[in-house]
């Protein structure tokens, strides 16, 4: 039987050093709970010696019980020339009260001399003493051998001596780290295999994605005998990021057929990925393998046609296995199959016998020619399909609007007036905003909530503007994409016009209209995020 691969998550420590990532203590607790529910084996919560926020995290974490995962505190070997028990940073690690402590130490003789500025012998003592001290206090110790591969290439005998020092002191796992992320799989395989032959303790792997090989290197090491893998959710981390666990985990399960996290967790992988992006306040990367929104999207008419007949023709696995789903992208490349699949995905009952099908496809193509792009604007596309199917009713219309801007000194204020008609009623509202679109959004919203209370929960979450050159050779047009969200879902709408305000208004109107009509569209849409 193949040995289970231990998954060690460092999203909260290494991951938090990524560009644009900053977690509060509460954020960290929420992610830790989620990782535990998912079933990773270790959660590295932070470095208590490096900042007070991490000390607070461990104090809070002590009061919670984790079902699957064991919590790890991260720190470094003792300083040179002091006893482990007298080292403040080591004391903070013990105070963190975690069952697991991970210690990083130097493998490279060059780094020992230039960075630590000590002797090779003292570095070996620093590794051994620190681990022995922690083992004597009953901790499970993971040893992260920094720069393992670079250090080995520079001086194999010394690198191996550092690993042996860790093992003899009682380290439970010895983790080879490609700290600079510049190694290639063949080197990883060779060195991991060699270490595996010398070290009786469990061997782990910690890689970075600097040359795009973070996941490949981790899998190579697992193939060469490592049975413990460190990484982060969505690969967040310093520079180009850490080894991405949202790729490693499904690769282990579906490609290498090796057990790691509980099997029934795999269908929640995409959710976990989205959850971490949301807490980190990062825009999800649609091109992430396995869990990205585009991972199973089909655009070319021929691909769509083939996928309809045989899903395996352009999909390596069933997207549902990792909680993802198939999407069809609408575009000028679209054929009838795209329109049918997309309409069905949006909840419309359309098949190849639907009489309005050709008109629908023609309408999409004409609008795309004018500068519209429905690929990312499902909300507007759903409204277009609804109209094409013959339902021209709208929940409201705009009778008139006016936008003005005045500036005095450093201050400028925009004001918008909107007259909205709903059935036989109308509402006339005025609102100010810090820009014309903001003012228009506020005025429109305050008019509409008088009739539709539900719209109070709708927020504008992103606004993108692009200049598109219309093919007719006239003035450049502006394309506006608006992303809106409420508690249940997120949708995007589009507007195109030579005038940016007019384009923005179209997208805003579509957004509110979609919010009001979506109950008509089947559940397929609401579950999409
Ligand atoms: Zn790292």
């Amino acid at each position: 039987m193949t040995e289970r691969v231990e998954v060690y998550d460092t999203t909260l420590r290494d991951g938090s050093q990524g560009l644009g990532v900053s977690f509060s203590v509460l954020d960290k607790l929420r992610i830790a709970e989620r990782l535990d529910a998912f079933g990773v084996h270790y959660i590295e919560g932070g470095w208590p010696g490096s900042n007070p926020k991490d000390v607070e995290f461990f104090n809070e974490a002590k009061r919670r019980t984790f079902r699957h995962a064991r919590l790890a505190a991260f720190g470094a070997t003792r300083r040179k020339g002091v006893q482990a028990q007298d080292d403040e940073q080591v004391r903070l690690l013990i105070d963190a009260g975690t069952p697991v402590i991970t210690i990083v130490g130097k493998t490279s003789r060059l780094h020992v001399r230039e960075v630590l500025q000590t002797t090779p012998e003292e570095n070996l003592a620093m590794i051994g003493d620190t681990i022995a001290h922690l083992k004597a206090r009953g901790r499970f110790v993971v040893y992260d051998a920094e720069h393992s591969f670079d250090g080995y290439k520079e001086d194999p005998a010394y690198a191996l001596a550092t690993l042996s020092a860790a093992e003899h002191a009682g380290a439970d796992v010895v983790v080879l780290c490609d700290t600079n992320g510049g190694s290639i799989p063949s080197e990883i395989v060779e060195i991991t295999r060699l270490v595996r032959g010398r070290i009786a303790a469990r061997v782990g792997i910690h890689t970075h994605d600097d040359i795009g090989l973070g996941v490949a290197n981790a899998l190579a090491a697992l193939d060469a005998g490592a049975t413990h893998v460190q990484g982060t959710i969505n690969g967040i981390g310093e520079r180009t990021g850490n080894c991405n666990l949202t790729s490693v985990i499904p690769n282990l399960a579906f490609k290498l057929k090796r057990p790691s996290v509980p099997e029934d967790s795999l269908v929640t992988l995409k959710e976990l990925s989205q959850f971490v992006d949301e807490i980190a306040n990062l825009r999800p990367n649609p091109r992430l393998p396995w869990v990205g929104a585009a991972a199973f999207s089909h655009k070319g008419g021929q691909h769509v046609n083939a996928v309809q007949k045989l899903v395996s023709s352009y999909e390596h696995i069933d997207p549902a296995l990792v909680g993802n789903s198939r999407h069809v992208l609408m575009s000028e490349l679209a054929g009838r199959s795209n329109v049918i699949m997309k309409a069905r995905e949006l909840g419309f009952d359309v098949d190849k016998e639907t009489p309005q099908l050709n008109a629908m496809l023609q309408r999409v193509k004409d609008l795309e020619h004018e500068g519209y792009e429905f690929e990312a604007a499902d909300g507007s596309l759903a409204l277009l399909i609804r109209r094409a199917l013959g339902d021209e009713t709208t929940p409201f219309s705009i009778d008139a609007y006016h936008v003005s801007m005045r500036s005095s000194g450093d201050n400028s204020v925009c004001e918008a007036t909107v007259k909205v008609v709903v059935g036989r009623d109308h509402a006339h509202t005025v609102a100010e905003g810090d820009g014309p679109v903001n003012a228009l959004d506020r005025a429109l919203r305050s008019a509409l909530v008088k009739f539709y209370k539900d719209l109070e929960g709708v927020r504008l979450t992103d606004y993108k503007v692009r200049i598109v050159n219309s093919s007719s050779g006239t003035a450049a047009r502006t394309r506006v994409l608006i992303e809106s969200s409420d508690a249940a879902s997120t949708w995007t709408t589009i507007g195109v016009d030579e005038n940016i305000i007019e384009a923005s208004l179209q997208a805003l109107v579509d957004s509110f209209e979609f919010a009001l009509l979506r109950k008509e569209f089947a559940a397929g849409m609401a579950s999409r995020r």
Side-chain angles (χ1 to χ4, degrees):
M1 210 186 93
T2 45
E3 201 177 340
R4 186 182 76 167
V5 174
E6 290 185 344
V7 177
Y8 181 108
D9 181 280
T10 179
T11 304
L12 301 179
R13 204 270 308 168
D14 230 356
S16 73
Q17 298 178 33
L19 183 72
V21 178
S22 167
F23 295 127
S24 67
V25 171
L26 193 65
D27 291 343
K28 287 186 152 209
L29 289 165
R30 289 180 65 195
I31 292 177
E33 280 168 355
R34 190 67 178 238
L35 287 166
D36 179 51
F38 182 79
V40 303
H41 307 104
Y42 302 91
I43 300 168
E44 190 173 82
W47 188 340
S50 79
N51 67 78
K53 197 160 86 176
D54 285 0
V55 172
E56 199 188 326
F57 166 81
F58 286 113
N59 282 335
E60 290 293 326
K62 273 179 203 161
R63 296 193 217 133
R64 322 205 170 202
T65 24
F66 293 95
R67 282 190 311 131
H68 289 108
R70 285 195 285 171
L71 204 58
F74 178 90
T77 50
R78 66 160 173 83
R79 280 175 295 126
K80 60 184 175 190
V82 298
Q83 305 265 320
Q85 66 263 31
D86 298 332
D87 188 298
E88 169 73 0
Q89 186 254 160
V90 174
R91 191 183 57 76
L92 283 168
L93 276 174
I94 294 168
D95 289 350
T98 55
V100 179
I101 294 180
T102 298
I103 287 295
V104 63
K106 298 249 180 268
T107 321
S108 148
R109 190 188 267 267
L110 176 73
H111 287 220
V112 170
R113 194 177 65 225
E114 300 297 327
V115 183
L116 282 185
Q117 301 190 326
T118 190
T119 61
E121 294 71 30
E122 173 64 359
N123 179 51
L124 296 179
M126 286 159 69
I127 296 168
D129 291 353
T130 314
I131 294 172
H133 178 68
L134 299 172
K135 286 308 293 179
R137 273 142 200 88
R139 297 305 201 276
F140 184 95
V141 177
V142 175
Y143 177 65
D144 273 11
E146 195 184 31
H147 300 109
S148 307
F149 300 94
D150 299 334
Y152 181 88
K153 281 184 267 178
E154 172 201 315
D155 184 340
Y158 185 72
L160 289 172
T162 64
L163 304 181
S164 297
E167 187 185 28
H168 290 143
D172 297 279
V173 187
V174 172
V175 182
L176 304 179
C177 302
D178 185 27
T179 310
N180 295 350
S183 300
I184 58 173
S186 55
E187 296 167 338
I188 301 272
V189 166
E190 189 193 323
I191 296 168
T192 306
R193 200 167 276 154
L194 196 132
V195 168
R196 188 76 178 80
R198 303 284 181 94
I199 299 280
R202 188 186 278 272
V203 172
I205 181 74
H206 175 116
T207 59
H208 280 261
D209 204 34
D210 294 77
I211 56 172
L213 294 173
V215 171
N217 282 340
L219 296 179
L222 294 172
D223 216 30
T227 52
H228 166 115
V229 62
Q230 302 193 345
T232 64
I233 301 303
N234 300 332
I236 61 172
E238 266 180 293
R239 309 185 303 276
T240 59
N242 279 63
C243 167
N244 186 352
L245 290 179
T246 57
S247 287
V248 168
I249 291 168
N251 275 317
L252 281 173
F254 301 114
K255 306 296 175 180
L256 307 177
K257 315 274 185 219
R258 287 182 67 177
S260 66
V261 299
E263 248 174 80
D264 53 6
S265 287
L266 292 162
V267 294
T268 65
L269 187 68
K270 185 183 162 72
E271 253 178 69
L272 174 68
S273 159
Q274 284 177 319
F275 181 81
V276 169
D277 272 339
E278 215 166 278
I279 301 277
N281 203 15
L282 295 173
R283 298 220 118 242
N285 174 3
R287 277 178 296 281
L288 271 191
W290 302 91
V291 293
F296 301 95
S297 331
H298 306 284
K299 184 166 170 180
Q302 194 198 342
H303 284 207
V304 172
N305 191 287
V307 165
Q308 227 176 4
K309 292 177 188 143
L310 177 68
V311 288
S312 64
S313 56
Y314 289 96
E315 283 176 5
H316 64 93
I317 58 150
D318 176 359
L321 292 171
V322 289
N324 210 337
S325 49
R326 178 175 310 126
H327 298 298
V328 177
L329 304 175
M330 286 304 307
S331 77
E332 284 186 284
L333 303 176
R336 288 161 59 92
S337 310
N338 289 63
V339 177
I340 296 170
M341 275 182 83
K342 188 73 209 179
R344 296 185 73 87
E345 183 191 319
L346 291 173
F348 295 96
D349 186 18
V350 170
D351 59 28
K352 60 179 191 297
E353 311 300 331
T354 304
Q356 298 93 335
L357 192 61
N358 282 336
M360 210 182 282
L361 181 58
Q362 197 51 50
R363 181 82 186 127
V364 169
K365 289 189 171 183
D366 289 348
L367 286 172
E368 295 231 334
H369 195 66
E370 284 175 33
Y372 284 78
E373 204 174 69
F374 289 102
E375 233 171 271
D378 276 3
S380 292
L381 181 65
L383 296 171
L384 182 151
I385 294 172
R386 177 176 175 271
R387 278 193 292 273
L389 290 173
D391 194 344
E392 305 255 356
T393 58
T394 56
F396 65 91
S397 61
I398 297 200
D399 199 35
Y401 76 94
H402 175 83
V403 178
S404 65
M405 182 184 141
R406 59 178 191 280
S407 179
S408 66
D410 287 344
N411 284 337
S412 68
V413 172
C414 287
E415 191 183 273
T417 315
V418 179
K419 192 177 168 196
V420 169
V421 180
V422 176
R424 286 185 189 159
D425 286 330
H426 74 269
H428 202 137
T429 48
V430 185
E432 285 189 343
D434 44 20
V437 178
N438 184 235
L440 204 51
D441 176 46
R442 286 185 180 172
L444 188 55
R445 189 180 301 266
S446 68
L448 289 172
V449 292
K450 292 183 177 152
F451 304 98
Y452 304 109
K453 267 231 140 310
D454 282 4
L455 293 182
E456 267 172 354
V458 173
R459 293 172 294 129
L460 193 156
T461 46
D462 196 18
Y463 174 80
K464 274 192 221 116
V465 178
R466 229 193 154 129
I467 303 300
V468 284
N469 288 318
S470 69
S471 42
S472 57
T474 56
R477 288 162 180 251
T478 307
R479 177 198 296 149
V480 169
L481 279 171
I482 284 180
E483 186 192 271
S484 311
S485 305
D486 64 7
S489 61
T490 295
W491 60 96
T492 305
T493 51
I494 189 170
V496 174
D497 198 87
E498 279 150 28
N499 179 328
I500 185 172
I501 306 283
E502 182 63 38
S504 305
L505 183 67
Q506 279 178 26
L508 277 174
V509 166
D510 269 15
S511 167
F512 288 119
E513 204 173 310
F514 180 80
L516 292 167
L517 292 173
R518 70 190 140 152
K519 284 184 204 103
E520 287 180 15
F521 314 139
M525 190 69 199
S527 65
R528 289 196 51 200
R529 298 269 344 222

